[in-house]
């Protein structure tokens, strides 16, 4: 198993997948801050005073971490940031399910409801982030050749 996880091409592929998911998710939320703010409010977890600032900052964190991850910049650190976000998302979805809320998760626009499927998706992405933190990904997508 360690041989698979230490394969640089495997790590590159999973890194690109996670990066693209978070780039897309961040961009989607940035394009509709009011809708994302409503999605956060629907969870009924945070004080109302914090919702707007979170609705503005969280998507940019997702987008920037995704872009940096895509280009192989500080892979372990950005995988840790995204992994932490995923853990928070898993907890928020689980709490909503326990409380019986039938709400949109706020992940990729409208129509993604909280539930076991969302917990499974986020858990899989969290595992991928842990793999990236443990094994890193040395392949970078930037051309860093030096010219003399």
């Amino acid at each position: 198993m360690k041989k698979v996880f230490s394969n640089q091409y495997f790590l590159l592929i999973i890194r690109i997948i996670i990066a693209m998911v978070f780039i897309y998710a961040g961009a989607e939320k940035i394009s509709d801050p009011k809708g994302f703010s409503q999605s956060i409010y629907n969870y009924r977890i945070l004080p109302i005073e914090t919702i707007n600032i979170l609705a503005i900052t969280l998507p940019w964190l997702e987008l920037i971490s995704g872009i940096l991850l895509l280009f192989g910049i500080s892979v372990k650190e950005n995988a840790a940031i995204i992994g932490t976000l995923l853990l928070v998302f898993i907890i928020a979805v689980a709490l909503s399910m326990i409380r019986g809320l039938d709400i949109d998760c706020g992940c990729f626009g409208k129509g993604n409801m909280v539930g076991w499927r969302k917990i499974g998706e986020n858990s899989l992405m969290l595992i991928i982030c842990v793999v990236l933190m443990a094994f890193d990904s040395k392949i970078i997508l930037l051309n860093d050749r030096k010219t003399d």
Side-chain angles (χ1 to χ4, degrees):
M1 189 65 108
K2 185 176 179 181
K3 187 175 182 180
V4 172
F5 288 143
S6 61
N7 181 300
Q8 288 301 306
Y9 295 106
F10 172 75
L11 293 171
L12 175 65
I13 290 168
I14 63 172
R15 189 182 88 207
I16 290 172
I17 291 169
I18 292 295
M20 296 307 290
V21 166
F22 274 80
I23 289 169
Y24 178 78
E28 184 74 29
K29 293 170 189 167
I30 289 168
S31 71
D32 184 18
K34 185 177 179 184
F36 183 51
S37 177
Q38 182 63 47
S39 293
I40 295 170
Y41 174 78
N42 291 341
Y43 280 92
R44 299 182 190 140
I45 296 173
L46 299 172
I48 197 162
E49 297 82 16
T50 63
I51 292 173
N52 285 338
I53 191 72
L54 188 62
I56 292 169
T57 57
L58 181 66
W60 284 102
L61 180 62
E62 290 178 345
L63 180 69
I64 292 167
S65 291
I67 290 170
L68 292 173
L69 195 63
L70 178 66
F71 289 108
I73 300 168
S74 301
V75 171
K76 288 184 178 187
E77 293 82 356
N78 285 296
I81 290 168
I82 291 173
T84 302
L85 291 174
L86 286 164
L87 187 59
V88 169
F89 299 159
I90 291 167
I91 292 168
V93 170
L95 285 173
S96 331
M97 290 173 58
I98 290 167
R99 294 168 53 216
L101 299 177
D102 186 28
I103 59 173
D104 188 280
C105 75
C107 306
F108 300 104
K110 303 283 184 225
N112 290 298
M113 305 306 283
V114 298
W116 286 110
R117 179 178 175 193
K118 191 52 59 185
I119 288 178
E121 291 170 0
N122 288 343
S123 297
L124 179 62
M125 288 190 289
L126 177 59
I127 291 167
I128 291 172
C129 286
V130 170
V131 168
L132 289 172
M133 287 185 286
F135 293 97
D136 206 345
S137 177
K138 305 291 184 221
I139 298 174
I140 56 175
L141 296 181
L142 294 175
N143 184 359
D144 65 338
R145 285 186 277 159
K146 295 184 179 174
T147 55
D148 293 318

